[in-house]
């Protein structure tokens, strides 16, 4: 008789763990409290499902700011190239987009979900949806059963916890596993939102004058109270009715959260550089050249196309420059102010949206208490963790899902091999 592995959670990590455990000889039961599996996967990548990122491993790990070094071991078992081969082997054609992001050619996350589910079913995994877990049970230092909320007890030779974090709770990630892990002796590091929009109480945010304005290929920086740069990210951003969002803002968000806490301050400074590849002096010289070429043109018309129009009008207002005046009526110092504003527009952030609104949860089960080559608990034999329940997080762009698939496969393979040796 094949020995029994229970996987709790039907997201990317849980589905991959179920497949790997079954492929390695175990009898697998997959439990999920929701009515359908792969809900977070189905909405990932804007509904297109960014299945992984094709960067080389060192770059990949550099894009996982939350305990990325831990991922060396799981990646040695199942890495991004293995993920690509896995999906292509199941008949999903993939394409590479900017920054190494990998998507299905048909741009449909639902294809990824259905293909994974078909593989799970083909391996005869026992799927039980609408099944809520109450607790895990132990025989001494070994996991032995899962107790359901309906009172049912399912015996197990190994249990893989893949319940996710606390982000996007409507997909089922509501932090269920943290108490189970603590009961097993694990440390839960402080939870916080990452990859989440940033909030600000600045007057221009409250007035919504820039709401909906996108800035392309900018540098966004988080600045400490002494004026030193904590972190800079490049990419696109958008102004919202509550602050800023978009890829660059999401990547900076965890540094805003940490800085507010570290420096015990209500706000933290942020800078936007609209021309990250051009030195401020060169920008100034370019503006002076424009003035010399068309001295009688109004400043507003002279600067048309230099920055997006709404930002231009906002900048002129902030700098108290009358854009209707001829360009040659402004001193060099005032033109320099324009260059300076474009290079380091400064504003105060006061936090982020809640962890429930975040794409990813920071914090979780401490990776110091998990065996990186197997994902098995160092506290209880036969207990495994994978995916976002762990204190591992990456930036958006396929990094988190790569961690989920890698740790899920590693946990499933290890659990399958463990119970098959019994």
């Amino acid at each position: 008789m094949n020995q029994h592995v229970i996987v709790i959670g039907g997201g990317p990590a849980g589905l991959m763990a179920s497949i790997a455990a079954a492929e390695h000889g175990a009898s697998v039961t997959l439990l999920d409290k929701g009515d359908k599996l792969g809900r977070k996967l189905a909405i990932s990548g804007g509904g297109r499902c960014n299945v992984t990122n094709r960067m080389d491993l060192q770059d990949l790990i550099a894009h996982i700011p939350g305990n990325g070094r831990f991922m060396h071991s799981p990646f040695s078992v199942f890495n991004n190239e293995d993920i690509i081969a896995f999906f292509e082997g199941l008949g999903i054609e993939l394409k590479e987009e900017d920054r190494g992001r990998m998507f299905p050619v048909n741009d449909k996350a639902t294809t990824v979900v259905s293909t994974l589910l078909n593989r799970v079913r083909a391996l005869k995994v026992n799927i039980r949806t609408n099944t809520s877990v109450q607790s895990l049970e132990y025989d001494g230092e070994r996991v032995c059963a899962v107790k359901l909320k309906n009172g049912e007890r399912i015996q197990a030779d190994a249990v893989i916890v893949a319940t996710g974090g606390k982000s996007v709770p409507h997909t089922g990630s509501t932090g269920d596993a943290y108490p189970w892990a603590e009961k097993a002796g694990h440390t839960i590091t402080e939870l916080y939102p990452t990859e989440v929009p940033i909030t600000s109480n600045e007057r221009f945010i409250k007035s919504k004058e820039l709401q909906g304005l996108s800035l392309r290929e900018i540098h966004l920086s988080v600045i400490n109270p002494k004026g030193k740069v904590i972190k800079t990210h490049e990419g696109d951003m958008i102004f919202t009715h509550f602050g800023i969002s978009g890829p660059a803002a999401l990547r900076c968000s965890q540094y805003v959260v940490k800085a507010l806490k570290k420096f015990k301050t209500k706000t933290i400074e942020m800078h936007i550089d609209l021309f990250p590849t051009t030195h401020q002096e060169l920008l100034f010289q370019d503006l002076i050249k424009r003035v010399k070429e068309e001295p009688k043109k109004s400043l507003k018309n002279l600067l048309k196309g230099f920055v997006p129009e709404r930002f231009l009008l906002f900048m002129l207002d902030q700098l108290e420059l009358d854009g209707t005046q001829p360009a040659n009526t402004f001193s060099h110092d005032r033109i320099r102010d324009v260059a300076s504003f474009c290079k380091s527009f400064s504003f105060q952030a006061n936090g982020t949206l809640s962890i429930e609104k975040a794409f990813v949860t920071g914090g979780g089960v401490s990776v110091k208490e998990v065996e990186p080559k197997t994902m098995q608990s160092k506290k209880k034999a036969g207990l495994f963790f994978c995916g976002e329940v762990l204190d591992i997080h990456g930036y958006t762009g396929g990094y988190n899902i790569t961690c989920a698939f890698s740790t899920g496969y590693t946990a499933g393979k290890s659990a399958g091999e463990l119970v098959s040796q019994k």
Side-chain angles (χ1 to χ4, degrees):
M1 171 68 183
N2 288 343
Q3 298 298 304
H4 194 200
V5 172
I6 294 177
V7 179
I8 309 171
L15 290 169
M16 193 61 89
S18 300
I19 290 167
E23 284 179 345
H24 288 83
S27 163
V28 181
T29 296
L30 172 57
L31 308 175
D32 193 274
K33 67 180 181 183
D35 56 0
K36 60 164 87 162
L37 303 175
R39 281 173 297 173
K40 200 167 184 180
L41 205 53
I43 60 170
S44 67
R48 296 170 60 220
C49 195
N50 184 181
V51 295
T52 190
N53 194 296
R54 200 162 214 167
M55 284 187 171
D56 69 55
L57 282 181
Q58 285 311 118
D59 284 340
L60 200 60
I61 284 164
H63 283 76
I64 306 166
N67 291 313
R69 281 187 308 236
F70 177 88
M71 289 303 301
H72 279 289
S73 289
F75 284 156
S76 72
V77 178
F78 194 73
N79 63 24
N80 52 348
E81 291 298 330
D82 296 319
I83 292 167
I84 292 165
F86 171 83
F87 281 111
E88 288 181 338
L90 293 178
I92 296 182
E93 272 191 271
L94 300 176
K95 59 181 175 180
E96 185 172 343
E97 294 192 4
D98 61 307
R99 301 166 194 254
R101 297 179 305 152
M102 301 297 293
F103 289 92
V105 167
N106 71 358
D107 286 329
K108 288 183 178 170
T110 47
T111 302
V112 176
V113 176
S114 61
T115 302
L116 280 170
L117 292 179
N118 288 341
R119 182 63 182 147
V120 166
R121 292 188 187 105
L123 289 163
K124 307 267 191 300
V125 171
N126 177 25
I127 298 169
R128 293 184 58 176
T129 51
N130 297 306
T131 304
S132 294
V133 172
Q134 178 75 44
S135 60
L136 309 184
E137 297 186 355
Y138 303 93
D139 178 5
E141 296 306 302
R142 170 170 287 282
V143 71
C144 65
V146 169
K147 189 177 180 185
L148 305 183
K149 284 191 176 170
N150 66 7
E152 184 185 347
R153 185 175 179 275
I154 311 173
Q155 286 190 287
D157 298 291
V159 174
I160 300 173
V161 176
T163 50
K166 287 191 84 168
S167 310
V168 206
H170 71 272
T171 63
S173 301
T174 50
D176 298 359
Y178 300 131
W180 310 338
E182 283 183 317
K183 195 179 165 195
H186 282 275
T187 306
I188 307 300
T189 61
E190 186 179 355
L191 305 177
Y192 58 93
T194 75
E195 304 305 298
V196 64
I198 293 166
T199 57
S200 172
N201 271 334
E202 291 276 10
R203 191 179 297 136
F204 74 88
I205 295 291
K206 287 184 160 179
S207 68
K208 302 182 181 177
E209 57 195 284
L210 293 179
Q211 182 180 341
L213 172 66
S214 293
L215 298 178
R216 304 284 178 201
E217 295 178 6
I218 52 90
H219 273 185
L220 182 65
S221 301
V222 183
I223 312 295
N224 77 14
K226 290 183 178 175
K228 292 275 196 300
V229 174
I230 295 171
K231 191 71 181 178
T232 297
H233 275 298
E234 51 99 12
D236 301 342
M237 61 161 280
I238 187 169
F239 291 99
T240 68
H241 64 286
F242 54 76
I244 59 171
S245 191
L250 296 179
R251 289 188 170 195
C252 283
S253 61
Q254 63 178 293
Y255 300 98
V256 170
V257 172
K258 289 171 182 172
L260 288 167
K261 185 170 183 185
K262 179 180 177 182
F263 298 108
K264 297 181 175 60
T265 177
K266 287 198 164 88
T267 62
I268 203 82
E269 191 176 357
M270 298 195 77
H271 286 180
I272 299 171
D273 180 352
L274 276 75
F275 296 93
T277 59
T278 307
H279 192 275
Q280 187 171 314
E281 184 60 29
L282 289 176
L283 210 57
F284 168 65
Q285 296 296 344
D286 177 45
L287 291 170
I288 293 297
K289 184 166 171 274
R290 288 179 183 227
V291 173
K292 282 179 178 170
E293 285 171 356
E294 299 183 271
K296 300 297 180 194
K297 208 170 192 179
S298 72
L299 184 63
K300 187 172 78 172
N301 286 339
L302 186 83
L303 295 177
K304 214 169 192 145
F306 184 65
V307 291
E309 187 166 9
R310 282 173 67 198
F311 193 84
L312 171 59
L313 297 175
F314 169 73
M315 174 173 66
L316 294 175
D317 180 55
Q318 292 283 302
L319 293 174
E320 298 178 345
L321 295 170
D322 182 353
T324 63
Q325 295 290 318
N328 66 352
T329 62
F330 294 93
S331 69
H332 276 203
D333 281 348
R334 295 305 279 153
I335 300 296
R336 198 179 286 281
D337 288 341
V338 172
S340 175
F341 195 94
C342 291
K343 285 296 290 178
S344 60
F345 167 47
S346 172
F347 66 97
Q348 297 290 320
N350 67 349
T352 67
L353 295 185
S354 68
I355 197 165
E356 289 78 17
K357 297 279 198 307
F359 285 98
V360 184
T361 302
V365 176
S366 172
V367 294
K368 293 174 184 170
E369 300 162 0
V370 174
E371 208 51 71
K373 280 195 164 60
T374 63
M375 307 312 298
Q376 186 168 199
S377 162
K378 291 179 179 177
K379 304 288 184 180
K380 299 286 183 186
L383 176 62
F384 296 79
F385 295 97
C386 58
E388 209 178 319
V389 72
L390 289 160
D391 183 9
I392 297 171
H393 64 269
Y395 297 128
T396 52
Y399 307 104
N400 290 292
I401 203 167
T402 300
C403 291
F405 284 145
S406 175
T407 57
Y409 185 91
T410 303
K413 175 178 184 283
S414 306
E417 289 173 345
L418 178 76
V419 302
S420 297
Q421 288 163 6
K422 286 193 167 190

